Amino acid sequence: MGRSIEAEMLRMRPRPITNVPPMYGAGIYAIYYVGDHELYQEIADECRTPIYVGKAAYKGGRKGLTTSEKDQAPLWTRINEHRVSLEHAHDLDAEDFRARYLVAEEFFVTLAEQLMIRQFRPVWNTLVDGFGNHAPGGKRTAQARPPWDELHPGRPWSTPDRMPTPSKQSAAESRKRVLAHWRLRRETPVVPGIPMD
């Protein structure tokens, strides 16, 4: 079922992340880069390789507590949160990102997400952590800034004055990891459907 959900989503035409229509339901999504940022040219490839894969579940769904209108649209809400993150980043343009998404049964969504991450190894899932983070609450601002925010600063909640502890992975280290990943990807023959592990 996970593979079926993945295949169905990948058949969809990518939409600009700035123009995803509201929808109800949980589901899976993939975000693609199509701009000219030098670090991501390797995957500015007509939406064949996602830069990030994620899922959205009902808030409190395990306990049957989904009550608000916002709680009924977790997939749209999650994609919209990512749009805002991209708009805040100083060196990225949200207009350069596309999204595929699929409303699906929550039970199978996690499996589909895991399969896609294993197959595509999206760099913002596997190498530069933190793109999917929410603004920390309360005393959690004492934690280190996510590596993604070191590489692409701008989100208001992750500025050095709000989160003074720098990430253990600097922006330079993240760039180095991503570039090494592209080199390995070019040097490794890929058999369709076989993960690059």
PDB file of all heavy atoms in Angstrom, residues 123-141:
ATOM      1  N   VAL A 123      17.836  15.640   0.449  1.00  0.00           N
ATOM      2  CA  VAL A 123      18.911  16.218   1.266  1.00  0.00           C
ATOM      3  C   VAL A 123      18.395  16.919   2.520  1.00  0.00           C
ATOM      4  O   VAL A 123      19.090  16.952   3.530  1.00  0.00           O
ATOM      5  CB  VAL A 123      19.819  17.161   0.444  1.00  0.00           C
ATOM      6  CG1 VAL A 123      20.582  16.370  -0.605  1.00  0.00           C
ATOM      7  CG2 VAL A 123      19.037  18.296  -0.184  1.00  0.00           C
ATOM      8  N   TRP A 124      17.188  17.483   2.483  1.00  0.00           N
ATOM      9  CA  TRP A 124      16.671  18.150   3.680  1.00  0.00           C
ATOM     10  C   TRP A 124      16.058  17.154   4.670  1.00  0.00           C
ATOM     11  O   TRP A 124      15.712  17.538   5.778  1.00  0.00           O
ATOM     12  CB  TRP A 124      15.664  19.229   3.312  1.00  0.00           C
ATOM     13  CG  TRP A 124      16.306  20.439   2.706  1.00  0.00           C
ATOM     14  CD1 TRP A 124      17.645  20.697   2.549  1.00  0.00           C
ATOM     15  CD2 TRP A 124      15.639  21.579   2.170  1.00  0.00           C
ATOM     16  NE1 TRP A 124      17.838  21.908   1.952  1.00  0.00           N
ATOM     17  CE2 TRP A 124      16.624  22.478   1.699  1.00  0.00           C
ATOM     18  CE3 TRP A 124      14.301  21.923   2.027  1.00  0.00           C
ATOM     19  CZ2 TRP A 124      16.311  23.704   1.105  1.00  0.00           C
ATOM     20  CZ3 TRP A 124      13.977  23.140   1.434  1.00  0.00           C
ATOM     21  CH2 TRP A 124      14.974  24.025   0.986  1.00  0.00           C
ATOM     22  N   ASN A 125      15.950  15.897   4.290  1.00  0.00           N
ATOM     23  CA  ASN A 125      15.561  14.844   5.232  1.00  0.00           C
ATOM     24  C   ASN A 125      16.781  14.154   5.827  1.00  0.00           C
ATOM     25  O   ASN A 125      16.787  13.781   6.996  1.00  0.00           O
ATOM     26  CB  ASN A 125      14.715  13.752   4.555  1.00  0.00           C
ATOM     27  CG  ASN A 125      13.330  14.209   4.169  1.00  0.00           C
ATOM     28  OD1 ASN A 125      13.131  14.635   3.049  1.00  0.00           O
ATOM     29  ND2 ASN A 125      12.380  14.108   5.078  1.00  0.00           N
ATOM     30  N   THR A 126      17.814  13.958   5.000  1.00  0.00           N
ATOM     31  CA  THR A 126      18.904  13.072   5.383  1.00  0.00           C
ATOM     32  C   THR A 126      20.210  13.766   5.734  1.00  0.00           C
ATOM     33  O   THR A 126      21.013  13.197   6.469  1.00  0.00           O
ATOM     34  CB  THR A 126      19.182  12.066   4.244  1.00  0.00           C
ATOM     35  OG1 THR A 126      19.529  12.787   3.056  1.00  0.00           O
ATOM     36  CG2 THR A 126      17.950  11.205   3.962  1.00  0.00           C
ATOM     37  N   LEU A 127      20.466  14.964   5.205  1.00  0.00           N
ATOM     38  CA  LEU A 127      21.765  15.608   5.398  1.00  0.00           C
ATOM     39  C   LEU A 127      21.697  16.923   6.162  1.00  0.00           C
ATOM     40  O   LEU A 127      22.633  17.274   6.877  1.00  0.00           O
ATOM     41  CB  LEU A 127      22.436  15.874   4.039  1.00  0.00           C
ATOM     42  CG  LEU A 127      22.698  14.640   3.174  1.00  0.00           C
ATOM     43  CD1 LEU A 127      23.229  15.070   1.812  1.00  0.00           C
ATOM     44  CD2 LEU A 127      23.679  13.713   3.855  1.00  0.00           C
ATOM     45  N   VAL A 128      20.635  17.677   5.953  1.00  0.00           N
ATOM     46  CA  VAL A 128      20.498  19.001   6.585  1.00  0.00           C
ATOM     47  C   VAL A 128      19.175  19.006   7.339  1.00  0.00           C
ATOM     48  O   VAL A 128      18.131  19.334   6.796  1.00  0.00           O
ATOM     49  CB  VAL A 128      20.542  20.135   5.534  1.00  0.00           C
ATOM     50  CG1 VAL A 128      20.531  21.491   6.226  1.00  0.00           C
ATOM     51  CG2 VAL A 128      21.772  20.009   4.645  1.00  0.00           C
ATOM     52  N   ASP A 129      19.236  18.619   8.585  1.00  0.00           N
ATOM     53  CA  ASP A 129      18.033  18.432   9.390  1.00  0.00           C
ATOM     54  C   ASP A 129      17.432  19.769   9.830  1.00  0.00           C
ATOM     55  O   ASP A 129      18.152  20.748  10.009  1.00  0.00           O
ATOM     56  CB  ASP A 129      18.392  17.603  10.624  1.00  0.00           C
ATOM     57  CG  ASP A 129      17.169  17.097  11.351  1.00  0.00           C
ATOM     58  OD1 ASP A 129      16.203  16.707  10.682  1.00  0.00           O
ATOM     59  OD2 ASP A 129      17.188  17.100  12.596  1.00  0.00           O
ATOM     60  N   GLY A 130      16.113  19.782  10.007  1.00  0.00           N
ATOM     61  CA  GLY A 130      15.470  20.931  10.632  1.00  0.00           C
ATOM     62  C   GLY A 130      14.471  21.697   9.790  1.00  0.00           C
ATOM     63  O   GLY A 130      13.744  22.533  10.317  1.00  0.00           O
ATOM     64  N   PHE A 131      14.398  21.427   8.482  1.00  0.00           N
ATOM     65  CA  PHE A 131      13.439  22.164   7.653  1.00  0.00           C
ATOM     66  C   PHE A 131      12.020  21.970   8.156  1.00  0.00           C
ATOM     67  O   PHE A 131      11.222  22.901   8.175  1.00  0.00           O
ATOM     68  CB  PHE A 131      13.547  21.723   6.188  1.00  0.00           C
ATOM     69  CG  PHE A 131      12.502  22.326   5.290  1.00  0.00           C
ATOM     70  CD1 PHE A 131      12.438  23.683   5.084  1.00  0.00           C
ATOM     71  CD2 PHE A 131      11.569  21.511   4.647  1.00  0.00           C
ATOM     72  CE1 PHE A 131      11.471  24.248   4.250  1.00  0.00           C
ATOM     73  CE2 PHE A 131      10.603  22.055   3.815  1.00  0.00           C
ATOM     74  CZ  PHE A 131      10.557  23.432   3.615  1.00  0.00           C
ATOM     75  N   GLY A 132      11.698  20.769   8.589  1.00  0.00           N
ATOM     76  CA  GLY A 132      10.339  20.469   9.040  1.00  0.00           C
ATOM     77  C   GLY A 132      10.050  20.849  10.481  1.00  0.00           C
ATOM     78  O   GLY A 132       8.944  20.599  10.961  1.00  0.00           O
ATOM     79  N   ASN A 133      11.023  21.454  11.167  1.00  0.00           N
ATOM     80  CA  ASN A 133      10.809  21.802  12.573  1.00  0.00           C
ATOM     81  C   ASN A 133       9.763  22.899  12.734  1.00  0.00           C
ATOM     82  O   ASN A 133       9.630  23.778  11.885  1.00  0.00           O
ATOM     83  CB  ASN A 133      12.113  22.285  13.212  1.00  0.00           C
ATOM     84  CG  ASN A 133      13.107  21.170  13.437  1.00  0.00           C
ATOM     85  OD1 ASN A 133      13.010  20.096  12.851  1.00  0.00           O
ATOM     86  ND2 ASN A 133      14.087  21.422  14.281  1.00  0.00           N
ATOM     87  N   HIS A 134       9.055  22.829  13.851  1.00  0.00           N
ATOM     88  CA  HIS A 134       8.136  23.888  14.248  1.00  0.00           C
ATOM     89  C   HIS A 134       8.867  24.854  15.169  1.00  0.00           C
ATOM     90  O   HIS A 134       9.889  24.510  15.757  1.00  0.00           O
ATOM     91  CB  HIS A 134       6.927  23.309  14.985  1.00  0.00           C
ATOM     92  CG  HIS A 134       6.106  22.386  14.149  1.00  0.00           C
ATOM     93  ND1 HIS A 134       5.179  22.827  13.240  1.00  0.00           N
ATOM     94  CD2 HIS A 134       6.082  21.033  14.081  1.00  0.00           C
ATOM     95  CE1 HIS A 134       4.610  21.792  12.656  1.00  0.00           C
ATOM     96  NE2 HIS A 134       5.144  20.687  13.149  1.00  0.00           N
ATOM     97  N   ALA A 135       8.317  26.048  15.319  1.00  0.00           N
ATOM     98  CA  ALA A 135       8.891  26.997  16.269  1.00  0.00           C
ATOM     99  C   ALA A 135       8.858  26.392  17.657  1.00  0.00           C
ATOM    100  O   ALA A 135       7.808  25.929  18.105  1.00  0.00           O
ATOM    101  CB  ALA A 135       8.108  28.306  16.241  1.00  0.00           C
ATOM    102  N   PRO A 136      10.001  26.352  18.360  1.00  0.00           N
ATOM    103  CA  PRO A 136      10.012  25.760  19.696  1.00  0.00           C
ATOM    104  C   PRO A 136       9.265  26.630  20.688  1.00  0.00           C
ATOM    105  O   PRO A 136       9.253  27.851  20.586  1.00  0.00           O
ATOM    106  CB  PRO A 136      11.506  25.688  20.034  1.00  0.00           C
ATOM    107  CG  PRO A 136      12.129  26.742  19.202  1.00  0.00           C
ATOM    108  CD  PRO A 136      11.304  26.849  17.950  1.00  0.00           C
ATOM    109  N   GLY A 137       8.629  25.998  21.648  1.00  0.00           N
ATOM    110  CA  GLY A 137       7.880  26.748  22.651  1.00  0.00           C
ATOM    111  C   GLY A 137       8.592  26.789  23.984  1.00  0.00           C
ATOM    112  O   GLY A 137       9.471  25.976  24.266  1.00  0.00           O
ATOM    113  N   GLY A 138       8.243  27.742  24.788  1.00  0.00           N
ATOM    114  CA  GLY A 138       8.730  27.847  26.156  1.00  0.00           C
ATOM    115  C   GLY A 138      10.229  27.838  26.274  1.00  0.00           C
ATOM    116  O   GLY A 138      10.933  28.580  25.599  1.00  0.00           O
ATOM    117  N   LYS A 139      10.740  26.970  27.136  1.00  0.00           N
ATOM    118  CA  LYS A 139      12.166  26.921  27.430  1.00  0.00           C
ATOM    119  C   LYS A 139      12.970  26.204  26.350  1.00  0.00           C
ATOM    120  O   LYS A 139      14.191  26.152  26.436  1.00  0.00           O
ATOM    121  CB  LYS A 139      12.390  26.237  28.767  1.00  0.00           C
ATOM    122  CG  LYS A 139      11.762  26.991  29.929  1.00  0.00           C
ATOM    123  CD  LYS A 139      11.957  26.259  31.228  1.00  0.00           C
ATOM    124  CE  LYS A 139      11.270  27.013  32.361  1.00  0.00           C
ATOM    125  NZ  LYS A 139      11.365  26.303  33.639  1.00  0.00           N
ATOM    126  N   ARG A 140      12.302  25.670  25.339  1.00  0.00           N
ATOM    127  CA  ARG A 140      13.024  24.934  24.295  1.00  0.00           C
ATOM    128  C   ARG A 140      13.860  25.847  23.411  1.00  0.00           C
ATOM    129  O   ARG A 140      14.632  25.378  22.592  1.00  0.00           O
ATOM    130  CB  ARG A 140      12.039  24.126  23.452  1.00  0.00           C
ATOM    131  CG  ARG A 140      11.446  22.953  24.230  1.00  0.00           C
ATOM    132  CD  ARG A 140      10.385  22.235  23.441  1.00  0.00           C
ATOM    133  NE  ARG A 140      10.903  21.790  22.155  1.00  0.00           N
ATOM    134  CZ  ARG A 140      10.176  21.711  21.055  1.00  0.00           C
ATOM    135  NH1 ARG A 140       8.915  22.057  21.066  1.00  0.00           N
ATOM    136  NH2 ARG A 140      10.709  21.287  19.935  1.00  0.00           N
ATOM    137  N   THR A 141      13.732  27.178  23.564  1.00  0.00           N
ATOM    138  CA  THR A 141      14.574  28.086  22.780  1.00  0.00           C
ATOM    139  C   THR A 141      16.036  27.966  23.190  1.00  0.00           C
ATOM    140  O   THR A 141      16.913  28.481  22.506  1.00  0.00           O
ATOM    141  CB  THR A 141      14.114  29.549  22.944  1.00  0.00           C
ATOM    142  OG1 THR A 141      14.084  29.863  24.338  1.00  0.00           O
ATOM    143  CG2 THR A 141      12.748  29.767  22.333  1.00  0.00           C
TER     144      THR A 141
END
